[in-house]
Amino acid sequence: DDGDDDSDASMEDLDLDGITDLAYIPGDNIRLTMFPYQEKNKVWDDYGEVLDVTQFMIGEDPGGDDDEDLQAMAQFSRPAAANAEGSGKQNVEEEIPTKYVELQASLLIRCMMKVCDQLGLSDGRSIRQIVSSVAPRRLIVVHGTEEESESALEYATGEKGLMLKPSEVYMPKTMESIDVTSDTSVYRIILFDSLFANTQWYQLDDIQVAYLNGSIRVDEKEGTVGLEAPKQGAVQEGHPAIFLGDLRISELKEQLRNQLNLRSEFAGGCLCIENHETRAIVLVKKVGPGEVLLEGAYSEEYFMVRDMLYDQFVVL
């Protein structure tokens, strides 16, 4: 017991003020690192521990000794006075001297100025593509320079352009008015309800079509023109069949194979359908816009292909 009292008294006699790192205190159970390992003191600032940025450099030159870089970083990032816990000393931040200098100088700027057209108008190539897709019968050229108007006129009347007559292309000048309805006759016709009573409508893509047969009635007082159903007892003559729609030979070939089990091949610009059992041959060919030619001897396959061909159109 006397030995323990002596050790406690020796601990009380030690002056611990100013000692931040105790390597060994008698009576305390501390494990020290083995020689030659040296434990580096961590540097702290207002934002936490100062990191060694050289550890994150991959393929780069750190640019000096690691210890010197850490010391320089710690010098500018942490307060000038050490923040010792329990020391009671105030931290004094280091002030970096600065000075504002104003200088007037003439600089030689070497650059090139370029004007970019941001008017939102189409260029000549885009206008030609738009006009060619519309395929107008008459063309009015406005809002352009004289050179641009002449270029549009050359394209509209050229063989590689719209192939219009010079009289069908108008280029009015400023404050000049033109009459574009002089060569056309436009009428507004009113369809009476009696006309739709016996009208049969057919679906064609996104629209509905029908064949109308009626008589025109003119109201001179109101100045209107209407179309009404024929009067009772009037002789109604028939009309030739009208085929509406677009024929796709490739789709017709698939339908013949899937629905009728008839094989067909393209040969000489036409679709050749052949039944190997009966040796019947039917040819389908597109002659021109809206014209289809069906050839073959009268047989069961001929009428089957004809019915399938009619199904591709809307017949009025």
Side-chain angles (χ1 to χ4, degrees), residues 10 13-14 17 52 143 180 183 191 264 274-275 290 292 316:
S10 62
D13 296 336
L14 292 176
D17 292 338
D52 184 7
H143 193 71
V180 295
D183 298 335
L191 303 179
S264 57
E274 181 180 2
N275 191 347
V292 181
L316 300 181

Side-chain angles (χ1 to χ4, degrees), residues 16-20 82-91:
L16 302 180
D17 292 338
I19 299 178
T20 58
N83 187 10
E85 185 175 356
S87 61
K89 297 180 180 180
Q90 297 181 354
N91 297 332

Side-chain angles (χ1 to χ4, degrees), residues 46 71-81 91-97:
D46 296 341
Q71 292 178 3
M73 186 182 300
Q75 180 180 359
F76 290 101
S77 61
R78 67 180 182 179
N91 297 332
V92 180
E93 296 183 358
E94 181 180 359
E95 296 182 358
I96 301 177

Side-chain angles (χ1 to χ4, degrees), residues 27-77:
D28 193 6
N29 190 9
I30 297 178
R31 298 294 184 267
L32 301 179
T33 56
M34 183 177 293
F35 179 83
Y37 177 82
Q38 295 181 0
E39 183 178 2
K40 296 183 179 180
N41 296 330
K42 297 181 179 181
V43 182
W44 296 79
D45 57 4
D46 296 341
Y47 301 96
E49 182 182 357
V50 178
L51 299 179
D52 184 7
V53 296
T54 58
Q55 296 180 359
F56 304 95
M57 294 183 180
I58 300 177
E60 298 181 4
D61 187 8
D65 191 7
D66 297 344
D67 296 338
E68 295 179 358
D69 294 341
L70 290 177
Q71 292 178 3
M73 186 182 300
Q75 180 180 359
F76 290 101
S77 61

Side-chain angles (χ1 to χ4, degrees), residues 13-223:
D13 296 336
L14 292 176
D15 186 10
L16 302 180
D17 292 338
I19 299 178
T20 58
D21 188 7
L22 297 179
Y24 175 73
I25 298 177
D28 193 6
N29 190 9
I30 297 178
R31 298 294 184 267
L32 301 179
T33 56
M34 183 177 293
F35 179 83
Y37 177 82
Q38 295 181 0
E39 183 178 2
K40 296 183 179 180
N41 296 330
K42 297 181 179 181
V43 182
W44 296 79
D45 57 4
D46 296 341
Y47 301 96
E49 182 182 357
V50 178
L51 299 179
D52 184 7
V53 296
T54 58
Q55 296 180 359
F56 304 95
M57 294 183 180
I58 300 177
E60 298 181 4
D61 187 8
D65 191 7
D66 297 344
D67 296 338
E68 295 179 358
D69 294 341
L70 290 177
Q71 292 178 3
M73 186 182 300
Q75 180 180 359
F76 290 101
S77 61
R78 67 180 182 179
N83 187 10
E85 185 175 356
S87 61
K89 297 180 180 180
Q90 297 181 354
N91 297 332
V92 180
E93 296 183 358
E94 181 180 359
E95 296 182 358
I96 301 177
T98 57
K99 183 174 63 173
Y100 178 76
V101 178
E102 183 177 355
L103 178 63
Q104 294 183 359
S106 299
L107 302 179
L108 178 59
I109 301 177
R110 296 182 178 181
C111 64
M112 180 179 62
M113 296 183 61
K114 186 176 181 181
V115 179
C116 298
D117 187 6
Q118 301 292 339
L119 296 179
L121 303 178
S122 301
D123 55 357
R125 181 179 179 182
S126 300
I127 291 178
R128 287 192 292 268
Q129 292 179 353
I130 295 172
V131 173
S132 61
S133 61
V134 176
R137 297 181 180 179
R138 292 175 179 81
L139 183 63
I140 303 175
V141 182
V142 296
H143 193 71
T145 61
E146 184 177 357
E147 182 181 356
E148 295 172 350
S149 300
E150 292 295 335
S151 177
L153 175 62
E154 182 180 357
Y155 170 75
T157 57
E159 296 181 356
K160 297 182 179 180
L162 303 178
M163 299 181 64
L164 297 177
K165 298 179 181 179
S167 60
E168 296 175 344
V169 181
Y170 304 94
M171 294 188 300
K173 299 180 180 179
T174 306
M175 303 303 294
E176 180 183 356
S177 60
I178 57 175
D179 186 7
V180 295
T181 60
S182 58
D183 298 335
T184 58
S185 299
V186 179
Y187 298 95
R188 182 178 181 182
I189 299 178
I190 300 175
L191 303 179
F192 294 98
D193 296 338
S194 60
L195 186 64
F196 296 97
N198 300 324
T199 302
Q200 186 176 0
W201 296 89
Y202 299 91
Q203 188 71 30
L204 178 61
D205 295 335
D206 297 336
I207 61 175
Q208 290 184 346
V209 295
Y211 185 87
L212 301 178
N213 185 16
S215 59
I216 298 177
R217 186 178 67 180
V218 180
D219 191 347
E220 297 181 356
K221 294 181 179 180
E222 298 182 0

